[in-house]
mmCIF file of all heavy atoms in Angstrom:
data_model
loop_
_atom_site.group_PDB
_atom_site.id
_atom_site.type_symbol
_atom_site.label_atom_id
_atom_site.label_comp_id
_atom_site.label_asym_id
_atom_site.label_seq_id
_atom_site.Cartn_x
_atom_site.Cartn_y
_atom_site.Cartn_z
ATOM 1 N N SER A 998 5.695 -3.411 4.368
ATOM 2 C CA SER A 998 6.557 -3.299 3.191
ATOM 3 C C SER A 998 5.923 -4.049 2.034
ATOM 4 O O SER A 998 5.502 -5.192 2.181
ATOM 5 C CB SER A 998 7.935 -3.891 3.495
ATOM 6 O OG SER A 998 8.670 -4.024 2.297
ATOM 7 N N THR A 999 5.820 -3.419 0.870
ATOM 8 C CA THR A 999 5.138 -4.047 -0.255
ATOM 9 C C THR A 999 6.084 -4.460 -1.367
ATOM 10 O O THR A 999 5.646 -4.759 -2.464
ATOM 11 C CB THR A 999 4.083 -3.078 -0.854
ATOM 12 O OG1 THR A 999 4.767 -1.964 -1.432
ATOM 13 C CG2 THR A 999 3.129 -2.593 0.198
ATOM 14 N N SER A 1000 7.381 -4.465 -1.123
ATOM 15 C CA SER A 1000 8.318 -4.768 -2.198
ATOM 16 C C SER A 1000 8.125 -6.170 -2.759
ATOM 17 O O SER A 1000 8.490 -6.434 -3.889
ATOM 18 C CB SER A 1000 9.760 -4.608 -1.700
ATOM 19 O OG SER A 1000 9.985 -5.417 -0.566
ATOM 20 N N ASN A 1001 7.539 -7.092 -1.987
ATOM 21 C CA ASN A 1001 7.293 -8.452 -2.461
ATOM 22 C C ASN A 1001 5.808 -8.798 -2.526
ATOM 23 O O ASN A 1001 5.438 -9.956 -2.541
ATOM 24 C CB ASN A 1001 8.002 -9.461 -1.541
ATOM 25 C CG ASN A 1001 9.503 -9.310 -1.587
ATOM 26 O OD1 ASN A 1001 10.067 -9.206 -2.659
ATOM 27 N ND2 ASN A 1001 10.142 -9.279 -0.432
ATOM 28 N N PHE A 1002 4.948 -7.798 -2.555
ATOM 29 C CA PHE A 1002 3.510 -8.037 -2.630
ATOM 30 C C PHE A 1002 3.118 -8.250 -4.080
ATOM 31 O O PHE A 1002 2.898 -7.306 -4.839
ATOM 32 C CB PHE A 1002 2.721 -6.868 -2.044
ATOM 33 C CG PHE A 1002 2.715 -6.826 -0.533
ATOM 34 C CD1 PHE A 1002 2.464 -5.640 0.130
ATOM 35 C CD2 PHE A 1002 2.933 -7.963 0.219
ATOM 36 C CE1 PHE A 1002 2.430 -5.594 1.517
ATOM 37 C CE2 PHE A 1002 2.904 -7.932 1.598
ATOM 38 C CZ PHE A 1002 2.664 -6.735 2.254
ATOM 39 N N THR A 1003 2.996 -9.500 -4.490
ATOM 40 C CA THR A 1003 2.770 -9.805 -5.899
ATOM 41 C C THR A 1003 1.408 -9.347 -6.388
ATOM 42 O O THR A 1003 1.258 -8.977 -7.549
ATOM 43 C CB THR A 1003 2.912 -11.324 -6.132
ATOM 44 O OG1 THR A 1003 2.030 -12.022 -5.241
ATOM 45 C CG2 THR A 1003 4.333 -11.765 -5.856
ATOM 46 N N ASN A 1004 0.384 -9.334 -5.536
ATOM 47 C CA ASN A 1004 -0.957 -8.996 -6.024
ATOM 48 C C ASN A 1004 -1.252 -7.506 -5.972
ATOM 49 O O ASN A 1004 -2.376 -7.085 -6.204
ATOM 50 C CB ASN A 1004 -2.042 -9.773 -5.267
ATOM 51 C CG ASN A 1004 -2.107 -9.403 -3.796
ATOM 52 O OD1 ASN A 1004 -1.340 -8.567 -3.329
ATOM 53 N ND2 ASN A 1004 -3.010 -10.036 -3.078
ATOM 54 N N LEU A 1005 -0.257 -6.675 -5.686
ATOM 55 C CA LEU A 1005 -0.447 -5.229 -5.701
ATOM 56 C C LEU A 1005 0.183 -4.571 -6.913
ATOM 57 O O LEU A 1005 0.102 -3.363 -7.074
ATOM 58 C CB LEU A 1005 0.137 -4.593 -4.436
ATOM 59 C CG LEU A 1005 -0.565 -4.930 -3.132
ATOM 60 C CD1 LEU A 1005 0.104 -4.191 -1.980
ATOM 61 C CD2 LEU A 1005 -2.032 -4.565 -3.186
ATOM 62 N N LYS A 1006 0.800 -5.340 -7.804
ATOM 63 C CA LYS A 1006 1.504 -4.759 -8.940
ATOM 64 C C LYS A 1006 0.636 -3.836 -9.803
ATOM 65 O O LYS A 1006 1.131 -2.835 -10.312
ATOM 66 C CB LYS A 1006 2.130 -5.863 -9.794
ATOM 67 C CG LYS A 1006 3.294 -6.570 -9.091
ATOM 68 C CD LYS A 1006 3.981 -7.545 -10.013
ATOM 69 C CE LYS A 1006 5.073 -8.304 -9.274
ATOM 70 N NZ LYS A 1006 6.126 -7.428 -8.765
ATOM 71 N N PRO A 1007 -0.668 -4.093 -10.004
ATOM 72 C CA PRO A 1007 -1.466 -3.171 -10.814
ATOM 73 C C PRO A 1007 -1.555 -1.767 -10.232
ATOM 74 O O PRO A 1007 -1.888 -0.822 -10.942
ATOM 75 C CB PRO A 1007 -2.847 -3.846 -10.842
ATOM 76 C CG PRO A 1007 -2.570 -5.276 -10.611
ATOM 77 C CD PRO A 1007 -1.420 -5.307 -9.652
ATOM 78 N N PHE A 1008 -1.274 -1.604 -8.926
ATOM 79 C CA PHE A 1008 -1.404 -0.300 -8.292
ATOM 80 C C PHE A 1008 -0.094 0.480 -8.288
ATOM 81 O O PHE A 1008 -0.076 1.652 -7.947
ATOM 82 C CB PHE A 1008 -1.901 -0.460 -6.852
ATOM 83 C CG PHE A 1008 -3.246 -1.108 -6.766
ATOM 84 C CD1 PHE A 1008 -3.357 -2.479 -6.565
ATOM 85 C CD2 PHE A 1008 -4.402 -0.367 -6.908
ATOM 86 C CE1 PHE A 1008 -4.600 -3.083 -6.492
ATOM 87 C CE2 PHE A 1008 -5.642 -0.965 -6.840
ATOM 88 C CZ PHE A 1008 -5.748 -2.323 -6.632
ATOM 89 N N PHE A 1009 1.013 -0.159 -8.663
ATOM 90 C CA PHE A 1009 2.305 0.504 -8.595
ATOM 91 C C PHE A 1009 2.438 1.505 -9.738
ATOM 92 O O PHE A 1009 2.125 1.205 -10.882
ATOM 93 C CB PHE A 1009 3.444 -0.511 -8.676
ATOM 94 C CG PHE A 1009 3.520 -1.435 -7.492
ATOM 95 C CD1 PHE A 1009 4.311 -2.567 -7.538
ATOM 96 C CD2 PHE A 1009 2.813 -1.172 -6.339
ATOM 97 C CE1 PHE A 1009 4.405 -3.420 -6.453
ATOM 98 C CE2 PHE A 1009 2.898 -2.025 -5.248
ATOM 99 C CZ PHE A 1009 3.686 -3.146 -5.303
ATOM 100 N N CYS A 1010 2.918 2.706 -9.417
ATOM 101 C CA CYS A 1010 3.076 3.720 -10.459
ATOM 102 C C CYS A 1010 4.488 3.746 -11.015
ATOM 103 O O CYS A 1010 4.773 4.470 -11.952
ATOM 104 C CB CYS A 1010 2.679 5.089 -9.928
ATOM 105 S SG CYS A 1010 3.526 5.567 -8.437
ATOM 106 N N SER A 1011 5.422 3.002 -10.420
ATOM 107 C CA SER A 1011 6.768 2.864 -10.955
ATOM 108 C C SER A 1011 7.393 1.639 -10.306
ATOM 109 O O SER A 1011 6.808 1.024 -9.431
ATOM 110 C CB SER A 1011 7.602 4.113 -10.653
ATOM 111 O OG SER A 1011 7.858 4.208 -9.260
ATOM 112 N N THR A 1012 8.576 1.266 -10.738
ATOM 113 C CA THR A 1012 9.269 0.171 -10.073
ATOM 114 C C THR A 1012 10.126 0.741 -8.962
ATOM 115 O O THR A 1012 10.735 1.793 -9.105
ATOM 116 C CB THR A 1012 10.145 -0.600 -11.068
ATOM 117 O OG1 THR A 1012 11.080 0.299 -11.644
ATOM 118 C CG2 THR A 1012 9.295 -1.230 -12.158
ATOM 119 N N GLY A 1013 10.191 0.064 -7.838
ATOM 120 C CA GLY A 1013 10.975 0.580 -6.731
ATOM 121 C C GLY A 1013 10.605 -0.095 -5.432
ATOM 122 O O GLY A 1013 10.278 -1.272 -5.397
ATOM 123 N N ILE A 1014 10.647 0.663 -4.347
ATOM 124 C CA ILE A 1014 10.344 0.166 -3.016
ATOM 125 C C ILE A 1014 9.069 0.830 -2.538
ATOM 126 O O ILE A 1014 8.906 2.049 -2.634
ATOM 127 C CB ILE A 1014 11.502 0.472 -2.045
ATOM 128 C CG1 ILE A 1014 12.793 -0.182 -2.551
ATOM 129 C CG2 ILE A 1014 11.176 -0.039 -0.641
ATOM 130 C CD1 ILE A 1014 14.017 0.217 -1.768
ATOM 131 N N TYR A 1015 8.154 0.032 -1.986
ATOM 132 C CA TYR A 1015 6.842 0.531 -1.607
ATOM 133 C C TYR A 1015 6.512 0.154 -0.171
ATOM 134 O O TYR A 1015 6.944 -0.873 0.328
ATOM 135 C CB TYR A 1015 5.760 -0.037 -2.535
ATOM 136 C CG TYR A 1015 6.068 0.166 -3.996
ATOM 137 C CD1 TYR A 1015 6.766 -0.806 -4.699
ATOM 138 C CD2 TYR A 1015 5.690 1.330 -4.646
ATOM 139 C CE1 TYR A 1015 7.083 -0.617 -6.024
ATOM 140 C CE2 TYR A 1015 5.997 1.521 -5.979
ATOM 141 C CZ TYR A 1015 6.690 0.552 -6.670
ATOM 142 O OH TYR A 1015 7.015 0.733 -7.986
ATOM 143 N N VAL A 1016 5.719 0.987 0.458
ATOM 144 C CA VAL A 1016 5.230 0.713 1.806
ATOM 145 C C VAL A 1016 3.719 0.904 1.806
ATOM 146 O O VAL A 1016 3.207 1.933 1.331
ATOM 147 C CB VAL A 1016 5.880 1.651 2.845
ATOM 148 C CG1 VAL A 1016 5.225 1.485 4.206
ATOM 149 C CG2 VAL A 1016 7.377 1.372 2.954
ATOM 150 N N MET A 1017 3.005 -0.086 2.325
ATOM 151 C CA MET A 1017 1.561 0.038 2.496
ATOM 152 C C MET A 1017 1.282 0.535 3.905
ATOM 153 O O MET A 1017 1.855 0.056 4.877
ATOM 154 C CB MET A 1017 0.861 -1.307 2.279
ATOM 155 C CG MET A 1017 -0.624 -1.259 2.623
ATOM 156 S SD MET A 1017 -1.462 -2.859 2.436
ATOM 157 C CE MET A 1017 -1.913 -2.755 0.710
ATOM 158 N N VAL A 1018 0.396 1.516 4.013
ATOM 159 C CA VAL A 1018 -0.049 2.053 5.300
ATOM 160 C C VAL A 1018 -1.560 1.884 5.350
ATOM 161 O O VAL A 1018 -2.265 2.325 4.436
ATOM 162 C CB VAL A 1018 0.324 3.543 5.447
ATOM 163 C CG1 VAL A 1018 -0.112 4.073 6.810
ATOM 164 C CG2 VAL A 1018 1.820 3.738 5.260
ATOM 165 N N THR A 1019 -2.060 1.252 6.416
ATOM 166 C CA THR A 1019 -3.497 0.994 6.468
ATOM 167 C C THR A 1019 -4.049 1.092 7.886
ATOM 168 O O THR A 1019 -3.349 0.777 8.852
ATOM 169 C CB THR A 1019 -3.817 -0.406 5.874
ATOM 170 O OG1 THR A 1019 -5.236 -0.575 5.796
ATOM 171 C CG2 THR A 1019 -3.219 -1.523 6.701
ATOM 172 N N THR A 1020 -5.289 1.565 7.990
ATOM 173 C CA THR A 1020 -6.080 1.690 9.225
ATOM 174 C C THR A 1020 -5.395 2.586 10.253
ATOM 175 O O THR A 1020 -4.486 3.348 9.925
ATOM 176 C CB THR A 1020 -6.413 0.310 9.834
ATOM 177 O OG1 THR A 1020 -5.224 -0.332 10.312
ATOM 178 C CG2 THR A 1020 -7.076 -0.590 8.809
ATOM 179 N N GLY A 1021 -5.853 2.546 11.513
ATOM 180 C CA GLY A 1021 -5.286 3.360 12.581
ATOM 181 C C GLY A 1021 -6.186 4.515 12.984
ATOM 182 O O GLY A 1021 -7.279 4.700 12.449
ATOM 183 N N ALA A 1022 -5.739 5.296 13.954
ATOM 184 C CA ALA A 1022 -6.458 6.465 14.437
ATOM 185 C C ALA A 1022 -5.902 7.711 13.730
ATOM 186 O O ALA A 1022 -4.746 7.715 13.297
ATOM 187 C CB ALA A 1022 -6.300 6.587 15.950
ATOM 188 N N PRO A 1023 -6.728 8.779 13.576
ATOM 189 C CA PRO A 1023 -8.099 8.960 14.052
ATOM 190 C C PRO A 1023 -9.118 8.214 13.188
ATOM 191 O O PRO A 1023 -8.734 7.529 12.232
ATOM 192 C CB PRO A 1023 -8.293 10.471 13.959
ATOM 193 C CG PRO A 1023 -7.442 10.859 12.783
ATOM 194 C CD PRO A 1023 -6.233 9.987 12.872
ATOM 195 N N THR A 1024 -10.387 8.390 13.500
ATOM 196 C CA THR A 1024 -11.448 7.679 12.788
ATOM 197 C C THR A 1024 -11.394 7.930 11.290
ATOM 198 O O THR A 1024 -11.694 7.039 10.491
ATOM 199 C CB THR A 1024 -12.820 8.094 13.341
ATOM 200 O OG1 THR A 1024 -12.855 7.814 14.750
ATOM 201 C CG2 THR A 1024 -13.954 7.344 12.661
ATOM 202 N N SER A 1025 -10.983 9.121 10.876
ATOM 203 C CA SER A 1025 -10.941 9.457 9.457
ATOM 204 C C SER A 1025 -9.956 8.584 8.668
ATOM 205 O O SER A 1025 -10.082 8.453 7.451
ATOM 206 C CB SER A 1025 -10.585 10.935 9.273
ATOM 207 O OG SER A 1025 -9.332 11.222 9.865
ATOM 208 N N SER A 1026 -8.975 7.985 9.346
ATOM 209 C CA SER A 1026 -8.017 7.113 8.655
ATOM 210 C C SER A 1026 -8.221 5.642 8.973
ATOM 211 O O SER A 1026 -7.482 4.787 8.482
ATOM 212 C CB SER A 1026 -6.585 7.513 9.017
ATOM 213 O OG SER A 1026 -6.322 7.276 10.382
ATOM 214 N N ALA A 1027 -9.237 5.315 9.777
ATOM 215 C CA ALA A 1027 -9.399 3.955 10.300
ATOM 216 C C ALA A 1027 -9.795 2.927 9.254
ATOM 217 O O ALA A 1027 -9.704 1.722 9.504
ATOM 218 C CB ALA A 1027 -10.423 3.942 11.441
ATOM 219 N N THR A 1028 -10.238 3.368 8.067
ATOM 220 C CA THR A 1028 -10.556 2.435 6.980
ATOM 221 C C THR A 1028 -9.705 2.694 5.743
ATOM 222 O O THR A 1028 -9.916 2.054 4.712
ATOM 223 C CB THR A 1028 -12.041 2.515 6.578
ATOM 224 O OG1 THR A 1028 -12.325 3.843 6.109
ATOM 225 C CG2 THR A 1028 -12.957 2.181 7.745
ATOM 226 N N LYS A 1029 -8.764 3.608 5.824
ATOM 227 C CA LYS A 1029 -8.023 4.044 4.640
ATOM 228 C C LYS A 1029 -6.723 3.270 4.464
ATOM 229 O O LYS A 1029 -6.027 2.949 5.426
ATOM 230 C CB LYS A 1029 -7.719 5.542 4.718
ATOM 231 C CG LYS A 1029 -8.968 6.418 4.811
ATOM 232 C CD LYS A 1029 -9.886 6.210 3.617
ATOM 233 C CE LYS A 1029 -11.125 7.100 3.699
ATOM 234 N NZ LYS A 1029 -12.032 6.830 2.564
ATOM 235 N N THR A 1030 -6.397 2.997 3.199
ATOM 236 C CA THR A 1030 -5.173 2.300 2.839
ATOM 237 C C THR A 1030 -4.464 3.083 1.738
ATOM 238 O O THR A 1030 -5.102 3.527 0.793
ATOM 239 C CB THR A 1030 -5.465 0.876 2.341
ATOM 240 O OG1 THR A 1030 -6.132 0.150 3.371
ATOM 241 C CG2 THR A 1030 -4.189 0.146 1.959
ATOM 242 N N GLU A 1031 -3.153 3.252 1.880
ATOM 243 C CA GLU A 1031 -2.362 3.969 0.889
ATOM 244 C C GLU A 1031 -1.079 3.188 0.600
ATOM 245 O O GLU A 1031 -0.606 2.433 1.438
ATOM 246 C CB GLU A 1031 -1.975 5.362 1.398
ATOM 247 C CG GLU A 1031 -3.151 6.217 1.818
ATOM 248 C CD GLU A 1031 -2.686 7.482 2.522
ATOM 249 O OE1 GLU A 1031 -1.916 8.257 1.910
ATOM 250 O OE2 GLU A 1031 -3.073 7.692 3.678
ATOM 251 N N ILE A 1032 -0.518 3.408 -0.594
ATOM 252 C CA ILE A 1032 0.799 2.875 -0.939
ATOM 253 C C ILE A 1032 1.735 4.048 -1.195
ATOM 254 O O ILE A 1032 1.423 4.938 -1.975
ATOM 255 C CB ILE A 1032 0.746 1.967 -2.174
ATOM 256 C CG1 ILE A 1032 0.023 0.659 -1.852
ATOM 257 C CG2 ILE A 1032 2.151 1.647 -2.664
ATOM 258 C CD1 ILE A 1032 -0.099 -0.270 -3.030
#
């Protein structure tokens, strides 16, 4: 949950509730991070 992530504010496209999703399988997503 990124609602209190202070150092991610430059990446937010609006005000609201955000979730960060990062890494995992398969290999194509193992280095990827999204908000």
Side-chain angles (χ1 to χ4, degrees):
S998 168
T999 66
S1000 56
N1001 296 314
F1002 284 158
T1003 55
N1004 65 0
L1005 293 182
K1006 291 186 184 298
F1008 299 95
F1009 294 167
C1010 54
S1011 68
T1012 59
I1014 301 172
Y1015 308 91
V1016 172
M1017 173 182 272
V1018 182
T1019 186
T1020 67
T1024 302
S1025 59
S1026 66
T1028 61
K1029 300 301 181 183
T1030 301
E1031 304 171 58
I1032 290 179

